[in-house]
């Protein structure tokens, strides 16, 4: 945020627009330019905030499949919990811009950025003075460019924070790249104007020559006004959050009736815009409507969200001439975005920190001493020893059978030998609660590079015709809806037999079978959440209930006086690329 440079020579004793102070004989003897203290302080505040915001923003952007520049720069970008740094840097940048405007007005320095100085761009000639004048005009133009870019970045950043995606994401990312290029061009332009000493001026402070301006204390005024403005924004954000009120009712709803139960008519809904996920008709966005009530024993939640397809095809298998193949080889990277099921994840965090309660850590290796994430995207875990309660509904893995898996996000676990050898998937702090799972996969684990060829199933359908019939109308377009009532899973004990070559030979080429085996059901802490779900009119509706208090350290207790925050993520036939929102929903229990 250094001030524009001198556009033309001034007579001796005239105003020096480059430094904001008036020439004196001593100053004229010192041919090395200086900048006033206020400009230097604000410049470095803005510069540091801009760099921090850009680097963390590029890390966030690099997570998107369509990112190009950010992915190229990814090895040089910070990793881990970058969300907090990104938002704090954004607020600091807003403070710096606000403070600089106050500083210019209070210090009577507004002529520094006068548009009339752009006339220097028309100066002709090859003399040193003419070249210097033109570079001065270029610097003024660059200042107005970065003001405009910063304004757009601020506006689009606020829109993203409030849950707006689409073209806003593109514009925000594009302006970030422009700002990144500006840093290099801005430095070059200053060097071309006055050489190395022009750059070093930001380390050589001088006082404002205008005594009246000094007495107005412009730097103090900038801080006194800028800090409350930023503080007011933060206060308004906290006060403007949505609150999910959980009223007590005499009797809880009948889950089988979904939202038709009369209890839900009195529950006050909260709508949460979520964005930057995969699919959802190419938008990557959906709005989740949330309701909640409780009775003496249980808490009940209802969720409804738009999803243009009823997706249950979680990595199915198809028989080809050389054997069985997974329909989506991206399962090897844990980054399936085609043949997968719909899901909904809900977390209840005692922290309202950025990045889903501070649990989101981005990068190819956010934990240096742990195995790298298979998909290179990062991990979920906490760093303070706490646990975040997670409910995850998985359409093809028990979701349509009336269960939601009770999970958690906690401290990173110690990797097993298999996980270190990439013979199993390490998940840092994201795991199911203690107990047994209700499902397993019908194929062995293969890490990056796997599933490219034929695989041997663990089990085969006992009656392949009956299994195919349960799939309903089989449309292998990954975004095609599965038929109402279809089952894209097999019950291991009743529907399957162990794999043998003889049994496999009876199944014709072209047969499709599910990749999911349902086992004996959830047990332990992992069990306990009952649910019902249905898809109609391009919307999923999910209702779920759990005991108010479970006694588990992995769960929150839904009791008045407990404070926690809710985040939701919707998955449209994708494994990990869910939608997200920045602002938490505060849960108020009555």
């Amino acid at each position: 945020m250094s001030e524009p440079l001198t556009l033309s020579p001034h007579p001796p004793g005239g105003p020096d627009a480059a430094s904001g102070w008036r020439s004196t004989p001593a100053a004229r003897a010192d041919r090395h330019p200086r900048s006033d203290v206020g400009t230097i302080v604000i410049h470095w505040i803005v510069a540091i905030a801009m760099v921090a915001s850009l680097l963390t923003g590029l890390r966030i952007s690099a997570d998107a499949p369509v990112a190009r520049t950010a992915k190229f720069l990814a090895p040089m970008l910070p990793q881990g919990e970058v969300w907090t740094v990104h938002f704090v840097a954004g607020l600091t940048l807003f403070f710096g811009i606000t403070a600089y405007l106050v500083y210019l007005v209070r210090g009577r320095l507004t002529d520094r950025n006068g548009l009339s100085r752009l006339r220097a761009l028309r100066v002709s000639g090859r003399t040193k003075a003419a070249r210097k004048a033109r570079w001065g005009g270029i610097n003024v133009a660059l200042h107005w460019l970065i003001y405009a870019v910063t304004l757009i970045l601020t506006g689009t950043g606020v829109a993203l924070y409030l849950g707006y995606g689409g073209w806003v994401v593109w514009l925000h990312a594009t302006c970030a790249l422009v700002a990144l290029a500006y840093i290099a061009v801005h430095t070059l332009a200053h060097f071309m104007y006055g050489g190395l000493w022009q750059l070093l001026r930001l380390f050589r402070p001088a006082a404002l020559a205008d005594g009246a301006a000094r007495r107005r204390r412009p730097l103090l005024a900038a801080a006194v006004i800028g800090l409350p403005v930023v503080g007011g924004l933060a206060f308004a954000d906290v006060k403007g959050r949505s609150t999910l009120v959980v009223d007590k009712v005499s009797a809880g709803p009948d889950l089988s009736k979904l939202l038709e139960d009369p209890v839900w008519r009195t529950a006050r809904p909260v709508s949460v815009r979520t964005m930057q996920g995969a699919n959802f008709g190419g938008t990557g966005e959906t709005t989740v409507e949330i309701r909640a009530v409780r009775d003496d024993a249980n808490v009940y939640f209802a969720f409804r969200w738009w999803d243009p397809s009823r997706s249950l095809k979680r990595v199915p298998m198809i028989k080809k001439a050389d054997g069985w193949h997974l329909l989506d080889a991206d399962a090897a990277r844990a980054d399936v975005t085609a043949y997968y099921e719909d899901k909904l994840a809900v977390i209840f965090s005692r922290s309202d920190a950025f990045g889903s309660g501070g649990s989101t850590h981005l990068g190819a290796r956010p934990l240096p001493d742990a195995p790298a994430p298979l998909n290179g995207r990062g991990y979920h875990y906490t760093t303070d020893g706490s646990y975040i309660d997670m409910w995850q509904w998985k359409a093809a893995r028990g979701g349509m059978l009336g269960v939601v898996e009770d999970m958690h996000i906690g401290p990173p676990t110690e990797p097993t030998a298999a996980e270190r050898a990439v013979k199993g998937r390490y998940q840092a702090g994201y795991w199911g609660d203690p107990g047994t799972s209700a499902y397993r996969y019908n194929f062995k684990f293969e890490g990056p590079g796997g599933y490219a060829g034929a695989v041997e199933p663990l089990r085969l359908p006992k009656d392949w015709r009956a299994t195919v019939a349960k799939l309903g109308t089989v449309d292998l377009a990954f975004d095609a809806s599965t038929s109402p009532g279809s089952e894209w899973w097999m019950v291991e004990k009743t529907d399957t037999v162990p794999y043998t070559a003889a049994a496999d030979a009876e199944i014709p080429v072209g047969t499709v079978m599910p990749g999911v085996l349902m086992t004996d059901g959830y047990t332990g802490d992992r069990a306990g959440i009952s649910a019902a779900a249905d898809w109609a009119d391009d919307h999923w509706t999910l209702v779920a209930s759990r005991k108010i208090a479970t006694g588990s350290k992995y769960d929150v207790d839904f009791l008045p006086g407990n404070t926690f925050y809710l985040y939701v993520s919707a998955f449209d036939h994708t494994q990990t690329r869910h939608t997200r929102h920045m602002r938490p929903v505060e849960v108020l229990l009555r």
Side-chain angles (χ1 to χ4, degrees):
M1 184 63 69
S2 61
E3 69 275 14
L5 309 177
T6 306
L7 304 185
S8 59
H10 290 282
D16 184 349
S19 62
W21 58 298
R22 293 184 181 276
S23 299
T24 65
R28 287 195 298 272
D30 182 0
R31 296 182 180 277
H32 301 319
R34 298 172 179 266
S35 289
D36 53 88
V37 174
T39 293
I40 292 176
V41 170
I42 296 176
H43 173 276
W44 287 115
I45 290 175
V46 170
I48 293 170
M50 176 70 80
V51 170
S53 178
L54 287 175
L55 292 179
T56 53
L58 287 168
R59 166 56 65 195
I60 295 168
S61 177
D63 185 55
V66 297
R68 295 293 181 267
T69 304
K71 284 189 184 298
F72 174 77
L73 297 173
M76 299 177 285
L77 298 175
Q79 301 188 76
E81 201 285 279
V82 299
W83 288 101
T84 298
V85 176
H86 188 65
F87 285 114
V88 171
L91 283 174
T92 304
L93 184 60
F94 186 79
F95 161 76
I97 297 297
T98 303
Y100 188 60
L101 292 175
V102 173
Y103 182 79
L104 290 179
V105 173
R106 189 77 176 174
R108 298 176 178 176
L109 301 170
T110 54
D111 64 329
R112 285 182 173 178
N113 299 325
L115 290 174
S116 61
R117 296 180 177 275
L118 296 177
R119 290 196 297 267
L121 294 172
R122 299 196 299 267
V123 173
S124 60
R126 298 183 178 181
T127 64
K128 181 178 180 180
R131 288 196 301 270
K132 191 169 185 177
R134 287 194 294 271
W135 279 109
I138 290 172
N139 274 286
V140 173
L142 287 172
H143 276 72
W144 281 103
L145 171 65
I146 199 61
Y147 296 155
V149 168
T150 303
L151 182 63
I152 296 172
L153 280 171
T154 301
T156 53
V158 170
L160 290 172
Y161 185 66
L162 295 177
Y164 294 88
W167 61 268
V168 178
V169 179
W170 173 86
L171 184 57
H172 190 75
T174 300
C175 285
L177 294 177
V178 171
L180 185 65
Y182 166 83
I183 294 174
V185 175
H186 171 70
T187 304
L188 175 64
H190 271 263
F191 179 81
M192 295 301 294
Y193 176 82
L196 180 61
W197 282 107
Q198 179 63 27
L199 301 179
L200 294 178
R201 65 184 299 166
L202 289 169
F203 299 93
R204 307 183 74 241
L208 286 171
D210 188 332
R214 285 201 305 272
R215 288 190 293 274
R216 291 164 64 87
R217 299 185 182 275
L219 185 58
L220 177 62
V224 168
I225 295 176
L227 287 174
V229 168
V230 173
L233 284 176
F235 180 79
D237 169 52
V238 172
K239 288 300 182 181
R241 291 174 180 169
S242 298
T243 300
L244 179 67
V245 178
V246 186
D247 286 318
K248 188 174 182 181
V249 295
S250 57
D254 181 348
L255 299 185
S256 65
K257 294 181 180 179
L258 299 176
L259 284 176
E260 295 302 316
D261 191 289
V263 169
W264 296 118
R265 297 174 190 169
T266 61
R268 286 168 280 184
V270 167
S271 293
V272 180
R273 297 179 62 98
T274 67
M275 46 87 175
Q276 289 187 269
N279 304 322
F280 286 102
T283 68
E285 303 178 19
T286 190
T287 296
V288 183
E289 186 180 80
I290 312 167
R291 294 175 171 83
V293 295
R294 70 183 185 95
D295 56 23
D296 289 329
N298 299 301
V299 65
Y300 306 85
F301 282 86
F303 306 92
R304 178 176 167 81
W305 69 99
W306 174 75
D307 186 333
S309 58
R310 180 184 186 270
S311 306
L312 300 181
K313 300 189 288 280
R314 188 202 182 281
V315 194
M317 308 176 74
I318 185 169
K319 188 171 184 181
K320 298 182 180 180
D322 63 339
W324 293 92
H325 290 253
L326 268 62
L327 272 174
D328 201 318
D330 281 339
R333 298 181 57 252
D335 195 16
V336 181
T337 57
Y339 295 98
Y340 213 77
E341 68 196 319
D342 292 335
K343 299 190 292 182
L344 185 79
V346 186
I347 66 172
F348 304 97
S349 174
R350 295 173 179 85
S351 169
D352 62 347
F354 297 115
S356 298
S359 67
T360 303
H361 302 260
L362 299 177
R365 196 144 198 165
L367 289 170
D369 297 329
L374 298 181
N375 52 29
R377 301 185 61 207
Y379 285 130
H380 284 294
Y381 58 88
T382 61
T383 57
D384 59 359
S386 65
Y387 289 90
I388 296 173
D389 192 3
M390 171 184 280
W391 298 7
Q392 190 164 176
W393 174 80
K394 305 171 180 180
R397 289 176 285 171
M400 301 305 293
L401 300 176
V403 294
V404 170
E405 188 171 3
D406 200 352
M407 308 183 72
H408 65 269
I409 299 172
T413 59
E414 179 64 26
T416 66
E419 290 164 351
R420 288 197 181 278
V422 198
K423 294 181 179 180
R425 182 185 174 192
Y426 179 68
Q427 298 182 156
Y430 159 65
W431 300 102
D433 285 3
T436 59
S437 176
Y439 61 87
R440 65 178 181 139
Y441 309 129
N442 198 21
F443 43 85
K444 294 180 180 179
F445 174 84
E446 296 183 15
Y451 306 128
V455 298
E456 183 178 295
L458 301 180
R459 302 184 71 86
L460 293 171
K462 182 182 296 184
D463 181 345
W464 68 268
R465 293 179 179 84
T467 296
V468 171
K470 289 180 180 180
L471 301 181
T473 302
V474 178
D475 186 340
L476 293 184
F478 61 82
D479 57 352
S481 289
T482 53
S483 304
S486 60
E487 297 181 7
W488 284 77
W489 60 86
M490 297 184 294
V491 179
E492 183 169 337
K493 286 187 175 179
T494 60
D495 297 343
T496 71
V497 295
Y499 177 86
T500 64
D504 192 7
E506 299 295 321
I507 302 175
V509 171
T511 300
V512 175
M513 72 171 172
V516 175
L517 298 172
M518 299 305 299
T519 56
D520 291 332
Y522 293 109
T523 63
D525 281 6
R526 195 175 296 198
I529 303 175
S530 301
D534 189 35
W535 182 87
D537 301 324
D538 290 347
H539 283 77
W540 278 109
T541 300
L542 167 67
V543 291
S545 70
R546 200 210 72 186
K547 290 182 180 179
I548 286 178
T550 66
S552 171
K553 70 176 182 179
Y554 304 105
D555 297 336
V556 298
D557 293 337
F558 293 94
L559 295 170
N562 288 349
T563 300
F564 48 85
Y565 305 90
L566 178 153
Y567 299 82
V568 290
S569 297
F571 303 68
D572 181 20
H573 60 86
T574 183
Q575 187 171 6
T576 63
R577 294 189 179 276
H578 54 75
T579 61
R580 63 180 181 235
H581 60 101
M582 300 298 105
R583 303 178 81 195
V585 175
E586 186 172 355
V587 179
L588 176 61
L589 296 154
R590 290 183 174 178

